[in-house]
Amino acid sequence: IRCSALKPSRSYKITLLPGDGIGPEVVAVAKDALQFVASVEGIEFNFKEMPVGGSALDLTGVPLPEETLSVAKDSDAVLLGAIGGYKWDKIEKHLKPETGLLQLRAGLDVFANLRPAVVLPQLVDASPLKKEIAEGVDLMVVRELTGGIYFGEPRGIQTNQNGEEIGFNTEVYAAREIDRIAHVAFETARKRRGKLCSIDKANVLEASMLWRRIVDEVALKYPDVELSHMYVDNAAMQLVRNPKQFDTILTNNIFGDILSDEASIIAGSIGMLPSACLSQSGPGLFEPIHGSAPDIAGQDKANPLATVLSAAMLLRYGLGEEKAAATVEEAVLRTLNKGYRTGDIYTFGQKLVGCKEMGEQVLESLGALTKAA
């Protein structure tokens, strides 16, 4: 171990974007986990921390400084904490922290968002669903991330011919955008259980009609993957009624945003779910799917495990370091097996801990794993 730490065989540049609220707390824990596993696996990480979101707005006057985007583009992978908070809720839209996040995704062209939702055996009792429904759930949401209604034009707030104020947005997708995210979804399903469900609203929306047609065309190239379609309203119901029917889910931007959050609570807490945002060539963006939780920020109450698991996805999908990724994931499971829980996943009889202690326990589990190896 000492030899591998002294002579790393692989070196990567990692941009850290702690962001707002609990972001700095959870990113600090994930960084420690990355440094630990790197020392064991002969990896060197060169970390550079940059501002984004509300903290960047306070510091520079914009939610995504040009330097932050430049550093992120020049890195091998980007780890993000969380953005936003009550402090910035009433400012102009172009200055909102969430606008900075959308600009970051567009700037990195991370069009494919992978959001796993797994009910871990250790947390099945934390799920609001009945045990027989929640137990064994293991699904992956593949969400298109840089198109659709969040980016479509025209958009705005205007006054119509009757003098009434109106707000409008445009749900628009080009065939190219649908084609590339569909390929990602089929490839993902192929590596899982070979089932893909595409979610749309093709009975009403023209954008969804095109979406379904393109997905059907791409499906011809993947005869080994079973494709089905489902309307989004039914999918929202089925996720609660029978989530185990799903393996891989393909959705557009807005449907994926909503459905993946719904899937997260099936797993017990949004504080447990990581995500990976991938491009075709540049660095990926890895982040927990939870928000900045300003109500508990700075109180050592946050659950850092979603960010630690996002770091594992960074290792696997961003850097191709499969062994290191699996080690981090196993350390999280071992920590849960020992009964440690933050408040969001706590049940009677477990050990209630804060963010820092949960991080320390993950590091202890990592140490035990390396000794065993």
Side-chain angles (χ1 to χ4, degrees):
I1 293 174
R2 288 175 58 86
C3 180
S4 66
L6 290 171
K7 297 181 180 180
S9 59
R10 301 175 302 286
S11 179
Y12 302 105
K13 292 187 289 185
I14 307 297
T15 299
L16 298 177
L17 304 177
D20 310 319
I22 63 172
E25 300 170 64
V26 295
V27 166
V29 172
K31 179 183 177 183
D32 286 344
L34 284 172
Q35 287 179 315
F36 191 104
V37 76
S39 70
V40 176
E41 295 296 331
I43 301 170
E44 179 184 36
F45 287 129
N46 297 302
F47 294 104
K48 190 163 186 179
E49 187 172 311
M50 300 298 293
V52 71
S55 58
L57 179 65
D58 291 346
L59 187 66
T60 69
V62 293
L64 180 65
E66 290 184 9
E67 185 181 2
T68 295
L69 182 57
S70 177
V71 169
K73 285 182 175 181
D74 189 49
S75 63
D76 294 298
V78 181
L79 182 65
L80 171 69
I83 57 95
Y86 308 137
K87 178 180 178 181
W88 306 285
D89 278 351
K90 295 183 179 180
I91 62 175
E92 297 178 71
K93 182 178 182 297
H94 72 282
L95 294 177
K96 284 183 176 292
E98 294 80 3
T99 297
L101 178 58
L102 293 179
Q103 291 171 341
L104 177 65
R105 291 170 176 172
L108 295 175
D109 194 24
V110 284
F111 70 93
N113 183 211
L114 306 185
R115 291 189 170 190
V118 180
V119 177
L120 301 175
Q122 300 89 340
L123 298 180
V124 67
D125 290 332
S127 175
L129 299 185
K130 295 178 181 178
K131 184 175 181 179
E132 59 268 25
I133 296 176
E135 197 168 33
V137 170
D138 180 354
L139 61 90
M140 175 75 80
V141 178
V142 180
R143 169 191 172 194
E144 200 289 323
L145 200 61
T146 56
I149 201 167
Y150 292 166
F151 292 90
E153 298 288 348
R155 62 194 297 136
I157 299 176
Q158 295 180 3
T159 302
N160 67 13
Q161 59 186 8
N162 298 322
E164 184 180 9
E165 194 172 33
I166 61 169
F168 56 96
N169 295 85
T170 305
E171 166 75 359
V172 57
Y173 271 107
R176 174 188 59 85
E177 294 175 303
I178 302 169
D179 181 85
R180 67 178 183 175
I181 192 63
H183 277 284
V184 172
F186 277 101
E187 291 290 348
T188 301
R190 176 178 275 174
K191 295 173 184 176
R192 289 173 52 85
R193 299 190 297 276
K195 291 178 60 179
L196 177 63
C197 181
S198 179
I199 309 297
D200 59 39
K201 193 62 177 171
N203 58 334
V204 175
L205 303 176
E206 282 81 0
S208 281
M209 295 173 190
L210 177 63
W211 178 282
R212 182 172 292 207
R213 176 159 61 82
I214 298 298
V215 171
D216 280 337
E217 291 173 1
V218 175
L220 299 176
K221 302 176 183 178
Y222 297 88
D224 54 324
V225 176
E226 178 187 338
L227 173 65
S228 61
H229 297 279
M230 191 176 290
Y231 296 143
V232 64
D233 44 353
N234 184 31
M237 179 183 69
Q238 293 296 332
L239 266 176
V240 176
R241 178 179 175 273
N242 180 21
K244 286 195 282 280
Q245 70 182 281
F246 296 106
D247 172 28
T248 305
I249 292 174
L250 167 63
T251 77
N252 68 7
N253 205 339
I254 188 170
F255 296 161
D257 192 358
I258 297 166
L259 293 177
S260 59
D261 278 5
E262 181 187 3
S264 73
I265 202 63
I266 296 172
S269 170
I270 199 170
M272 286 299 301
L273 269 65
S275 76
C277 309
L278 308 177
S279 70
Q280 287 184 315
S281 57
L285 174 66
F286 302 86
E287 57 179 305
I289 75 168
H290 61 66
S292 62
D295 54 323
I296 62 169
Q299 300 177 43
D300 193 33
K301 294 181 178 180
N303 184 348
L305 295 184
T307 314
V308 173
L309 292 171
S310 294
M313 295 189 81
L314 181 154
L315 290 164
R316 175 175 291 115
Y317 294 101
L319 307 179
E321 296 287 352
E322 175 60 37
K323 183 181 177 184
T327 299
V328 172
E329 291 167 342
E330 179 61 26
V332 169
L333 294 179
R334 286 195 173 209
T335 302
L336 293 172
N337 282 336
K338 290 187 291 184
Y340 293 98
R341 303 287 190 272
T342 46
D344 58 312
I345 54 174
Y346 175 77
T347 54
F348 182 76
Q350 304 293 342
K351 303 170 186 176
L352 181 63
V353 297
C355 182
K356 290 181 181 179
E357 187 173 350
M358 182 64 88
E360 291 167 1
Q361 292 301 325
V362 170
L363 292 180
E364 186 175 302
S365 296
L366 282 169
L369 282 169
T370 56
K371 287 180 182 178

